[in-house]
Amino acid sequence: MKGFLFDQNLPTKIYFHPSLPVHHVTEISANPTDTEIWDHARRNCLVIVSKDADFYHRIIDRQPPPWVVHLKIGNMRRNAFHTLLANAWPKIEMAIKHHKLVALYQDHIASVS
């Protein structure tokens, strides 16, 4: 893993400090398709971070790279979103080292090998 790729539906600025670089899909193009995002992440050994279930379903049938962090947290106020991610991120980073998929819920984290 070389970094994290935040999807279109996530903020371009985050207020916590991941151990690896964070990129946003807008670096690929203004409105990349899921396939473009997937291929970019695969080529660059990135972890896709998204609320989009499409990446969740795609990783189930494939092996990394890329890896996927699926945020199953619904709509939240910006401050609550950043607080949840900041608190959960160390556990997410630990889990993604050993699993191809990590799902973050408001009250727990689940993973799939």
Side-chain angles (χ1 to χ4, degrees):
M1 263 169 276
K2 295 182 181 177
F4 300 96
L5 182 61
F6 277 51
D7 197 4
Q8 191 78 23
N9 53 9
L10 299 176
T12 56
K13 293 183 182 182
I14 57 170
Y15 301 105
F16 63 95
H17 304 286
S19 66
L20 297 171
V22 172
H23 307 275
H24 198 269
V25 297
T26 55
E27 295 173 24
I28 300 169
S29 72
N31 194 20
T33 66
D34 285 352
T35 299
E36 290 171 327
I37 294 166
W38 183 270
D39 290 344
H40 178 81
R42 186 177 41 78
R43 280 190 310 273
N44 294 286
C45 292
L46 300 174
V47 178
I48 298 170
V49 181
S50 180
K51 287 182 159 185
D52 187 348
D54 292 343
F55 295 115
Y56 174 93
H57 295 296
R58 195 179 279 207
I59 192 65
I60 294 296
D61 297 334
R62 294 178 175 86
Q63 291 300 314
W67 299 262
V68 174
V69 174
H70 186 202
L71 305 178
K72 299 178 94 168
I73 55 177
N75 293 328
M76 304 177 82
R77 293 192 177 275
R78 187 175 302 247
N79 286 343
F81 170 81
H82 287 290
T83 299
L84 177 64
L85 242 52
N87 291 334
W89 203 258
K91 292 177 187 173
I92 290 170
E93 285 196 13
M94 185 65 73
I96 203 69
K97 289 178 184 178
H98 306 286
H99 304 281
K100 64 183 180 181
L101 169 65
V102 174
L104 173 64
Y105 299 86
Q106 287 191 11
D107 60 347
H108 71 282
I109 297 172
S111 54
V112 175
S113 294

